[in-house]
Amino acid sequence: MTHYPVPAKNRGNARKMRKAMTDAELKLWNEIRAHRLMGLAFKRQMPIAGYIVDFACPNKKLIIELDGSQHARAAASTSDATRTAKLGALGWTILRFWNDDVIRNIDNVCQHIVIAAGLGNAEAPAPAREEAFP
């Protein structure tokens, strides 16, 4: 696994974010933590290349981002695209889900994650908002 230098400020922010998870983050974390989702190992609020991603599966180079309504605004959308491009250039695949999708349809979200990790059947994909493949 590639290691990226993590500034102390980012490490501290990630620690704080782990303690203050949103409802959607907590719901997804309860589904994917401790290898519960097809044996995949996820980390939460993981610093990568200057960013703190919501969830990452380093073995599959898969990042999951959960977005609230503020991400629909133009400025946030541009920032998200830049972030996705930078992480994608490092070989990561980024899946973005709306918080509401996680709250209302966690099974479909999990199915999409499994498919993106190459462990599931691609016949019934979940509604991911954005994917960036290297």
Side-chain angles (χ1 to χ4, degrees), residues 46-82:
M46 182 176 162
I48 302 173
Y51 297 104
I52 299 173
V53 302
D54 291 336
F55 303 99
C57 178
N59 292 342
K60 296 291 184 175
K61 293 207 76 161
L62 181 64
I63 292 171
I64 302 167
E65 291 288 327
L66 303 186
D67 297 334
S69 60
Q70 71 276 13
H71 286 267
R73 293 186 205 125
S77 183
T78 301
S79 176
D80 288 345
T82 301

PDB file of all heavy atoms in Angstrom, residues 46-82:
ATOM      1  N   MET A  46      -9.942   8.864   6.388  1.00  0.00           N
ATOM      2  CA  MET A  46      -8.533   8.556   6.126  1.00  0.00           C
ATOM      3  C   MET A  46      -7.871   9.692   5.335  1.00  0.00           C
ATOM      4  O   MET A  46      -8.371  10.080   4.288  1.00  0.00           O
ATOM      5  CB  MET A  46      -8.440   7.252   5.332  1.00  0.00           C
ATOM      6  CG  MET A  46      -7.033   6.816   5.043  1.00  0.00           C
ATOM      7  SD  MET A  46      -7.053   5.211   4.220  1.00  0.00           S
ATOM      8  CE  MET A  46      -5.410   5.209   3.517  1.00  0.00           C
ATOM      9  N   PRO A  47      -6.763  10.219   5.825  1.00  0.00           N
ATOM     10  CA  PRO A  47      -6.026  11.238   5.068  1.00  0.00           C
ATOM     11  C   PRO A  47      -5.304  10.606   3.876  1.00  0.00           C
ATOM     12  O   PRO A  47      -4.595   9.612   4.027  1.00  0.00           O
ATOM     13  CB  PRO A  47      -5.007  11.786   6.064  1.00  0.00           C
ATOM     14  CG  PRO A  47      -5.468  11.321   7.408  1.00  0.00           C
ATOM     15  CD  PRO A  47      -6.216  10.050   7.169  1.00  0.00           C
ATOM     16  N   ILE A  48      -5.530  11.196   2.689  1.00  0.00           N
ATOM     17  CA  ILE A  48      -4.854  10.741   1.475  1.00  0.00           C
ATOM     18  C   ILE A  48      -4.502  11.973   0.645  1.00  0.00           C
ATOM     19  O   ILE A  48      -5.392  12.740   0.265  1.00  0.00           O
ATOM     20  CB  ILE A  48      -5.738   9.810   0.611  1.00  0.00           C
ATOM     21  CG1 ILE A  48      -6.185   8.573   1.387  1.00  0.00           C
ATOM     22  CG2 ILE A  48      -4.992   9.389  -0.666  1.00  0.00           C
ATOM     23  CD1 ILE A  48      -7.184   7.709   0.638  1.00  0.00           C
ATOM     24  N   ALA A  49      -3.244  12.164   0.368  1.00  0.00           N
ATOM     25  CA  ALA A  49      -2.767  13.207  -0.548  1.00  0.00           C
ATOM     26  C   ALA A  49      -3.323  14.591  -0.236  1.00  0.00           C
ATOM     27  O   ALA A  49      -3.744  15.316  -1.126  1.00  0.00           O
ATOM     28  CB  ALA A  49      -3.075  12.815  -1.984  1.00  0.00           C
ATOM     29  N   GLY A  50      -3.353  14.953   1.018  1.00  0.00           N
ATOM     30  CA  GLY A  50      -3.822  16.275   1.401  1.00  0.00           C
ATOM     31  C   GLY A  50      -5.321  16.383   1.628  1.00  0.00           C
ATOM     32  O   GLY A  50      -5.817  17.442   2.000  1.00  0.00           O
ATOM     33  N   TYR A  51      -6.055  15.324   1.391  1.00  0.00           N
ATOM     34  CA  TYR A  51      -7.502  15.303   1.605  1.00  0.00           C
ATOM     35  C   TYR A  51      -7.819  14.326   2.736  1.00  0.00           C
ATOM     36  O   TYR A  51      -7.039  13.428   3.028  1.00  0.00           O
ATOM     37  CB  TYR A  51      -8.241  14.836   0.343  1.00  0.00           C
ATOM     38  CG  TYR A  51      -8.052  15.741  -0.834  1.00  0.00           C
ATOM     39  CD1 TYR A  51      -7.198  15.388  -1.869  1.00  0.00           C
ATOM     40  CD2 TYR A  51      -8.726  16.952  -0.919  1.00  0.00           C
ATOM     41  CE1 TYR A  51      -7.029  16.220  -2.963  1.00  0.00           C
ATOM     42  CE2 TYR A  51      -8.560  17.792  -2.009  1.00  0.00           C
ATOM     43  CZ  TYR A  51      -7.707  17.421  -3.026  1.00  0.00           C
ATOM     44  OH  TYR A  51      -7.539  18.244  -4.103  1.00  0.00           O
ATOM     45  N   ILE A  52      -8.992  14.479   3.319  1.00  0.00           N
ATOM     46  CA  ILE A  52      -9.489  13.493   4.270  1.00  0.00           C
ATOM     47  C   ILE A  52     -10.733  12.897   3.625  1.00  0.00           C
ATOM     48  O   ILE A  52     -11.742  13.583   3.443  1.00  0.00           O
ATOM     49  CB  ILE A  52      -9.827  14.127   5.630  1.00  0.00           C
ATOM     50  CG1 ILE A  52      -8.581  14.764   6.244  1.00  0.00           C
ATOM     51  CG2 ILE A  52     -10.409  13.059   6.570  1.00  0.00           C
ATOM     52  CD1 ILE A  52      -8.837  15.569   7.503  1.00  0.00           C
ATOM     53  N   VAL A  53     -10.633  11.634   3.234  1.00  0.00           N
ATOM     54  CA  VAL A  53     -11.756  10.974   2.560  1.00  0.00           C
ATOM     55  C   VAL A  53     -12.657  10.325   3.604  1.00  0.00           C
ATOM     56  O   VAL A  53     -12.203   9.949   4.684  1.00  0.00           O
ATOM     57  CB  VAL A  53     -11.274   9.954   1.510  1.00  0.00           C
ATOM     58  CG1 VAL A  53     -10.390  10.638   0.470  1.00  0.00           C
ATOM     59  CG2 VAL A  53     -10.548   8.782   2.140  1.00  0.00           C
ATOM     60  N   ASP A  54     -13.938  10.208   3.280  1.00  0.00           N
ATOM     61  CA  ASP A  54     -14.880   9.644   4.247  1.00  0.00           C
ATOM     62  C   ASP A  54     -14.529   8.200   4.587  1.00  0.00           C
ATOM     63  O   ASP A  54     -14.399   7.847   5.750  1.00  0.00           O
ATOM     64  CB  ASP A  54     -16.312   9.735   3.717  1.00  0.00           C
ATOM     65  CG  ASP A  54     -16.825  11.160   3.649  1.00  0.00           C
ATOM     66  OD1 ASP A  54     -16.317  12.025   4.392  1.00  0.00           O
ATOM     67  OD2 ASP A  54     -17.743  11.416   2.846  1.00  0.00           O
ATOM     68  N   PHE A  55     -14.391   7.357   3.562  1.00  0.00           N
ATOM     69  CA  PHE A  55     -14.058   5.943   3.766  1.00  0.00           C
ATOM     70  C   PHE A  55     -13.108   5.502   2.653  1.00  0.00           C
ATOM     71  O   PHE A  55     -13.255   5.918   1.511  1.00  0.00           O
ATOM     72  CB  PHE A  55     -15.314   5.068   3.727  1.00  0.00           C
ATOM     73  CG  PHE A  55     -16.349   5.459   4.736  1.00  0.00           C
ATOM     74  CD1 PHE A  55     -17.430   6.244   4.370  1.00  0.00           C
ATOM     75  CD2 PHE A  55     -16.239   5.068   6.067  1.00  0.00           C
ATOM     76  CE1 PHE A  55     -18.383   6.631   5.298  1.00  0.00           C
ATOM     77  CE2 PHE A  55     -17.192   5.455   6.999  1.00  0.00           C
ATOM     78  CZ  PHE A  55     -18.256   6.238   6.614  1.00  0.00           C
ATOM     79  N   ALA A  56     -12.163   4.645   3.006  1.00  0.00           N
ATOM     80  CA  ALA A  56     -11.232   4.129   2.009  1.00  0.00           C
ATOM     81  C   ALA A  56     -10.965   2.655   2.259  1.00  0.00           C
ATOM     82  O   ALA A  56     -10.852   2.216   3.398  1.00  0.00           O
ATOM     83  CB  ALA A  56      -9.922   4.906   2.053  1.00  0.00           C
ATOM     84  N   CYS A  57     -10.879   1.931   1.163  1.00  0.00           N
ATOM     85  CA  CYS A  57     -10.481   0.528   1.190  1.00  0.00           C
ATOM     86  C   CYS A  57      -9.126   0.479   0.467  1.00  0.00           C
ATOM     87  O   CYS A  57      -9.079   0.388  -0.762  1.00  0.00           O
ATOM     88  CB  CYS A  57     -11.518  -0.334   0.470  1.00  0.00           C
ATOM     89  SG  CYS A  57     -11.091  -2.076   0.412  1.00  0.00           S
ATOM     90  N   PRO A  58      -8.028   0.595   1.228  1.00  0.00           N
ATOM     91  CA  PRO A  58      -6.712   0.672   0.601  1.00  0.00           C
ATOM     92  C   PRO A  58      -6.373  -0.520  -0.300  1.00  0.00           C
ATOM     93  O   PRO A  58      -5.729  -0.340  -1.335  1.00  0.00           O
ATOM     94  CB  PRO A  58      -5.753   0.746   1.796  1.00  0.00           C
ATOM     95  CG  PRO A  58      -6.577   1.323   2.902  1.00  0.00           C
ATOM     96  CD  PRO A  58      -7.960   0.763   2.683  1.00  0.00           C
ATOM     97  N   ASN A  59      -6.789  -1.711   0.068  1.00  0.00           N
ATOM     98  CA  ASN A  59      -6.459  -2.896  -0.732  1.00  0.00           C
ATOM     99  C   ASN A  59      -7.045  -2.836  -2.133  1.00  0.00           C
ATOM    100  O   ASN A  59      -6.459  -3.365  -3.079  1.00  0.00           O
ATOM    101  CB  ASN A  59      -6.924  -4.175  -0.044  1.00  0.00           C
ATOM    102  CG  ASN A  59      -6.146  -4.463   1.212  1.00  0.00           C
ATOM    103  OD1 ASN A  59      -5.061  -3.927   1.423  1.00  0.00           O
ATOM    104  ND2 ASN A  59      -6.695  -5.290   2.073  1.00  0.00           N
ATOM    105  N   LYS A  60      -8.198  -2.205  -2.274  1.00  0.00           N
ATOM    106  CA  LYS A  60      -8.862  -2.088  -3.577  1.00  0.00           C
ATOM    107  C   LYS A  60      -8.696  -0.690  -4.168  1.00  0.00           C
ATOM    108  O   LYS A  60      -9.224  -0.408  -5.248  1.00  0.00           O
ATOM    109  CB  LYS A  60     -10.356  -2.407  -3.446  1.00  0.00           C
ATOM    110  CG  LYS A  60     -10.644  -3.832  -3.019  1.00  0.00           C
ATOM    111  CD  LYS A  60     -10.283  -4.790  -4.122  1.00  0.00           C
ATOM    112  CE  LYS A  60     -10.665  -6.217  -3.724  1.00  0.00           C
ATOM    113  NZ  LYS A  60     -10.432  -7.156  -4.823  1.00  0.00           N
ATOM    114  N   LYS A  61      -8.003   0.213  -3.444  1.00  0.00           N
ATOM    115  CA  LYS A  61      -7.853   1.615  -3.854  1.00  0.00           C
ATOM    116  C   LYS A  61      -9.214   2.224  -4.199  1.00  0.00           C
ATOM    117  O   LYS A  61      -9.404   2.848  -5.229  1.00  0.00           O
ATOM    118  CB  LYS A  61      -6.868   1.747  -5.010  1.00  0.00           C
ATOM    119  CG  LYS A  61      -5.444   1.385  -4.544  1.00  0.00           C
ATOM    120  CD  LYS A  61      -4.358   2.033  -5.303  1.00  0.00           C
ATOM    121  CE  LYS A  61      -4.197   3.464  -4.912  1.00  0.00           C
ATOM    122  NZ  LYS A  61      -2.920   4.041  -5.283  1.00  0.00           N
ATOM    123  N   LEU A  62     -10.142   2.027  -3.277  1.00  0.00           N
ATOM    124  CA  LEU A  62     -11.523   2.474  -3.433  1.00  0.00           C
ATOM    125  C   LEU A  62     -11.851   3.486  -2.341  1.00  0.00           C
ATOM    126  O   LEU A  62     -11.623   3.224  -1.164  1.00  0.00           O
ATOM    127  CB  LEU A  62     -12.461   1.267  -3.330  1.00  0.00           C
ATOM    128  CG  LEU A  62     -13.938   1.498  -3.482  1.00  0.00           C
ATOM    129  CD1 LEU A  62     -14.276   2.013  -4.872  1.00  0.00           C
ATOM    130  CD2 LEU A  62     -14.693   0.186  -3.227  1.00  0.00           C
ATOM    131  N   ILE A  63     -12.370   4.631  -2.756  1.00  0.00           N
ATOM    132  CA  ILE A  63     -12.779   5.683  -1.824  1.00  0.00           C
ATOM    133  C   ILE A  63     -14.277   5.863  -1.936  1.00  0.00           C
ATOM    134  O   ILE A  63     -14.829   5.877  -3.039  1.00  0.00           O
ATOM    135  CB  ILE A  63     -12.078   7.019  -2.157  1.00  0.00           C
ATOM    136  CG1 ILE A  63     -10.584   6.907  -1.867  1.00  0.00           C
ATOM    137  CG2 ILE A  63     -12.705   8.181  -1.393  1.00  0.00           C
ATOM    138  CD1 ILE A  63      -9.765   8.096  -2.361  1.00  0.00           C
ATOM    139  N   ILE A  64     -14.929   6.019  -0.786  1.00  0.00           N
ATOM    140  CA  ILE A  64     -16.370   6.295  -0.752  1.00  0.00           C
ATOM    141  C   ILE A  64     -16.562   7.649  -0.090  1.00  0.00           C
ATOM    142  O   ILE A  64     -16.084   7.877   1.022  1.00  0.00           O
ATOM    143  CB  ILE A  64     -17.135   5.221   0.035  1.00  0.00           C
ATOM    144  CG1 ILE A  64     -16.899   3.848  -0.589  1.00  0.00           C
ATOM    145  CG2 ILE A  64     -18.628   5.556   0.071  1.00  0.00           C
ATOM    146  CD1 ILE A  64     -17.343   2.706   0.278  1.00  0.00           C
ATOM    147  N   GLU A  65     -17.228   8.534  -0.797  1.00  0.00           N
ATOM    148  CA  GLU A  65     -17.543   9.862  -0.279  1.00  0.00           C
ATOM    149  C   GLU A  65     -19.057   9.977  -0.142  1.00  0.00           C
ATOM    150  O   GLU A  65     -19.798   9.603  -1.056  1.00  0.00           O
ATOM    151  CB  GLU A  65     -17.040  10.951  -1.234  1.00  0.00           C
ATOM    152  CG  GLU A  65     -15.525  11.068  -1.287  1.00  0.00           C
ATOM    153  CD  GLU A  65     -14.939  11.686  -0.037  1.00  0.00           C
ATOM    154  OE1 GLU A  65     -15.579  12.553   0.573  1.00  0.00           O
ATOM    155  OE2 GLU A  65     -13.826  11.289   0.338  1.00  0.00           O
ATOM    156  N   LEU A  66     -19.506  10.478   0.997  1.00  0.00           N
ATOM    157  CA  LEU A  66     -20.925  10.725   1.236  1.00  0.00           C
ATOM    158  C   LEU A  66     -21.143  12.229   1.230  1.00  0.00           C
ATOM    159  O   LEU A  66     -20.439  12.959   1.934  1.00  0.00           O
ATOM    160  CB  LEU A  66     -21.369  10.124   2.566  1.00  0.00           C
ATOM    161  CG  LEU A  66     -21.130   8.624   2.734  1.00  0.00           C
ATOM    162  CD1 LEU A  66     -21.746   8.147   4.046  1.00  0.00           C
ATOM    163  CD2 LEU A  66     -21.679   7.839   1.563  1.00  0.00           C
ATOM    164  N   ASP A  67     -22.103  12.663   0.452  1.00  0.00           N
ATOM    165  CA  ASP A  67     -22.311  14.088   0.253  1.00  0.00           C
ATOM    166  C   ASP A  67     -23.695  14.539   0.668  1.00  0.00           C
ATOM    167  O   ASP A  67     -24.687  13.897   0.337  1.00  0.00           O
ATOM    168  CB  ASP A  67     -22.107  14.448  -1.224  1.00  0.00           C
ATOM    169  CG  ASP A  67     -20.689  14.188  -1.706  1.00  0.00           C
ATOM    170  OD1 ASP A  67     -19.768  14.210  -0.868  1.00  0.00           O
ATOM    171  OD2 ASP A  67     -20.517  13.979  -2.912  1.00  0.00           O
ATOM    172  N   GLY A  68     -23.736  15.660   1.374  1.00  0.00           N
ATOM    173  CA  GLY A  68     -24.986  16.325   1.711  1.00  0.00           C
ATOM    174  C   GLY A  68     -25.373  17.290   0.605  1.00  0.00           C
ATOM    175  O   GLY A  68     -24.669  17.437  -0.396  1.00  0.00           O
ATOM    176  N   SER A  69     -26.475  17.986   0.792  1.00  0.00           N
ATOM    177  CA  SER A  69     -27.012  18.865  -0.241  1.00  0.00           C
ATOM    178  C   SER A  69     -26.063  20.000  -0.614  1.00  0.00           C
ATOM    179  O   SER A  69     -26.119  20.521  -1.732  1.00  0.00           O
ATOM    180  CB  SER A  69     -28.361  19.431   0.199  1.00  0.00           C
ATOM    181  OG  SER A  69     -28.201  20.160   1.398  1.00  0.00           O
ATOM    182  N   GLN A  70     -25.164  20.385   0.293  1.00  0.00           N
ATOM    183  CA  GLN A  70     -24.230  21.464  -0.011  1.00  0.00           C
ATOM    184  C   GLN A  70     -23.329  21.113  -1.196  1.00  0.00           C
ATOM    185  O   GLN A  70     -22.803  21.992  -1.866  1.00  0.00           O
ATOM    186  CB  GLN A  70     -23.388  21.847   1.221  1.00  0.00           C
ATOM    187  CG  GLN A  70     -22.346  20.839   1.630  1.00  0.00           C
ATOM    188  CD  GLN A  70     -22.868  19.708   2.505  1.00  0.00           C
ATOM    189  OE1 GLN A  70     -24.061  19.500   2.652  1.00  0.00           O
ATOM    190  NE2 GLN A  70     -21.956  18.950   3.079  1.00  0.00           N
ATOM    191  N   HIS A  71     -23.165  19.837  -1.497  1.00  0.00           N
ATOM    192  CA  HIS A  71     -22.325  19.409  -2.611  1.00  0.00           C
ATOM    193  C   HIS A  71     -23.001  19.613  -3.961  1.00  0.00           C
ATOM    194  O   HIS A  71     -22.367  19.447  -4.999  1.00  0.00           O
ATOM    195  CB  HIS A  71     -21.897  17.943  -2.440  1.00  0.00           C
ATOM    196  CG  HIS A  71     -20.863  17.779  -1.379  1.00  0.00           C
ATOM    197  ND1 HIS A  71     -19.516  17.793  -1.642  1.00  0.00           N
ATOM    198  CD2 HIS A  71     -20.981  17.626  -0.039  1.00  0.00           C
ATOM    199  CE1 HIS A  71     -18.845  17.638  -0.518  1.00  0.00           C
ATOM    200  NE2 HIS A  71     -19.715  17.531   0.474  1.00  0.00           N
ATOM    201  N   ALA A  72     -24.275  19.983  -3.970  1.00  0.00           N
ATOM    202  CA  ALA A  72     -24.970  20.260  -5.221  1.00  0.00           C
ATOM    203  C   ALA A  72     -24.660  21.659  -5.740  1.00  0.00           C
ATOM    204  O   ALA A  72     -24.903  21.964  -6.903  1.00  0.00           O
ATOM    205  CB  ALA A  72     -26.477  20.093  -5.038  1.00  0.00           C
ATOM    206  N   ARG A  73     -24.121  22.516  -4.896  1.00  0.00           N
ATOM    207  CA  ARG A  73     -23.770  23.882  -5.300  1.00  0.00           C
ATOM    208  C   ARG A  73     -22.578  23.858  -6.248  1.00  0.00           C
ATOM    209  O   ARG A  73     -21.702  22.998  -6.146  1.00  0.00           O
ATOM    210  CB  ARG A  73     -23.446  24.733  -4.079  1.00  0.00           C
ATOM    211  CG  ARG A  73     -24.643  24.972  -3.211  1.00  0.00           C
ATOM    212  CD  ARG A  73     -24.297  25.965  -2.085  1.00  0.00           C
ATOM    213  NE  ARG A  73     -25.201  25.716  -0.977  1.00  0.00           N
ATOM    214  CZ  ARG A  73     -24.836  25.464   0.253  1.00  0.00           C
ATOM    215  NH1 ARG A  73     -23.573  25.447   0.585  1.00  0.00           N
ATOM    216  NH2 ARG A  73     -25.732  25.236   1.192  1.00  0.00           N
ATOM    217  N   ALA A  74     -22.519  24.828  -7.137  1.00  0.00           N
ATOM    218  CA  ALA A  74     -21.474  24.891  -8.164  1.00  0.00           C
ATOM    219  C   ALA A  74     -20.063  24.887  -7.579  1.00  0.00           C
ATOM    220  O   ALA A  74     -19.190  24.156  -8.054  1.00  0.00           O
ATOM    221  CB  ALA A  74     -21.681  26.118  -9.045  1.00  0.00           C
ATOM    222  N   ALA A  75     -19.822  25.687  -6.542  1.00  0.00           N
ATOM    223  CA  ALA A  75     -18.479  25.764  -5.954  1.00  0.00           C
ATOM    224  C   ALA A  75     -18.054  24.419  -5.382  1.00  0.00           C
ATOM    225  O   ALA A  75     -16.908  23.978  -5.574  1.00  0.00           O
ATOM    226  CB  ALA A  75     -18.427  26.838  -4.875  1.00  0.00           C
ATOM    227  N   ALA A  76     -18.954  23.764  -4.673  1.00  0.00           N
ATOM    228  CA  ALA A  76     -18.633  22.455  -4.086  1.00  0.00           C
ATOM    229  C   ALA A  76     -18.445  21.414  -5.180  1.00  0.00           C
ATOM    230  O   ALA A  76     -17.555  20.563  -5.091  1.00  0.00           O
ATOM    231  CB  ALA A  76     -19.724  22.022  -3.123  1.00  0.00           C
ATOM    232  N   SER A  77     -19.261  21.497  -6.212  1.00  0.00           N
ATOM    233  CA  SER A  77     -19.160  20.557  -7.317  1.00  0.00           C
ATOM    234  C   SER A  77     -17.804  20.674  -8.013  1.00  0.00           C
ATOM    235  O   SER A  77     -17.173  19.673  -8.347  1.00  0.00           O
ATOM    236  CB  SER A  77     -20.295  20.805  -8.304  1.00  0.00           C
ATOM    237  OG  SER A  77     -20.248  19.873  -9.340  1.00  0.00           O
ATOM    238  N   THR A  78     -17.339  21.902  -8.207  1.00  0.00           N
ATOM    239  CA  THR A  78     -16.026  22.131  -8.815  1.00  0.00           C
ATOM    240  C   THR A  78     -14.917  21.603  -7.913  1.00  0.00           C
ATOM    241  O   THR A  78     -13.991  20.937  -8.374  1.00  0.00           O
ATOM    242  CB  THR A  78     -15.820  23.639  -9.083  1.00  0.00           C
ATOM    243  OG1 THR A  78     -16.858  24.084  -9.953  1.00  0.00           O
ATOM    244  CG2 THR A  78     -14.475  23.915  -9.711  1.00  0.00           C
ATOM    245  N   SER A  79     -15.026  21.865  -6.633  1.00  0.00           N
ATOM    246  CA  SER A  79     -14.042  21.376  -5.665  1.00  0.00           C
ATOM    247  C   SER A  79     -14.018  19.848  -5.634  1.00  0.00           C
ATOM    248  O   SER A  79     -12.952  19.230  -5.592  1.00  0.00           O
ATOM    249  CB  SER A  79     -14.365  21.936  -4.283  1.00  0.00           C
ATOM    250  OG  SER A  79     -13.498  21.408  -3.320  1.00  0.00           O
ATOM    251  N   ASP A  80     -15.209  19.234  -5.653  1.00  0.00           N
ATOM    252  CA  ASP A  80     -15.300  17.767  -5.663  1.00  0.00           C
ATOM    253  C   ASP A  80     -14.651  17.185  -6.913  1.00  0.00           C
ATOM    254  O   ASP A  80     -13.970  16.158  -6.853  1.00  0.00           O
ATOM    255  CB  ASP A  80     -16.760  17.315  -5.582  1.00  0.00           C
ATOM    256  CG  ASP A  80     -17.381  17.533  -4.224  1.00  0.00           C
ATOM    257  OD1 ASP A  80     -16.639  17.775  -3.246  1.00  0.00           O
ATOM    258  OD2 ASP A  80     -18.629  17.468  -4.135  1.00  0.00           O
ATOM    259  N   ALA A  81     -14.853  17.841  -8.062  1.00  0.00           N
ATOM    260  CA  ALA A  81     -14.275  17.354  -9.324  1.00  0.00           C
ATOM    261  C   ALA A  81     -12.747  17.420  -9.276  1.00  0.00           C
ATOM    262  O   ALA A  81     -12.064  16.491  -9.728  1.00  0.00           O
ATOM    263  CB  ALA A  81     -14.818  18.159 -10.495  1.00  0.00           C
ATOM    264  N   THR A  82     -12.218  18.490  -8.713  1.00  0.00           N
ATOM    265  CA  THR A  82     -10.765  18.634  -8.576  1.00  0.00           C
ATOM    266  C   THR A  82     -10.208  17.549  -7.671  1.00  0.00           C
ATOM    267  O   THR A  82      -9.202  16.899  -7.977  1.00  0.00           O
ATOM    268  CB  THR A  82     -10.413  20.034  -8.017  1.00  0.00           C
ATOM    269  OG1 THR A  82     -10.918  21.018  -8.913  1.00  0.00           O
ATOM    270  CG2 THR A  82      -8.922  20.198  -7.832  1.00  0.00           C
TER     271      THR A  82
END
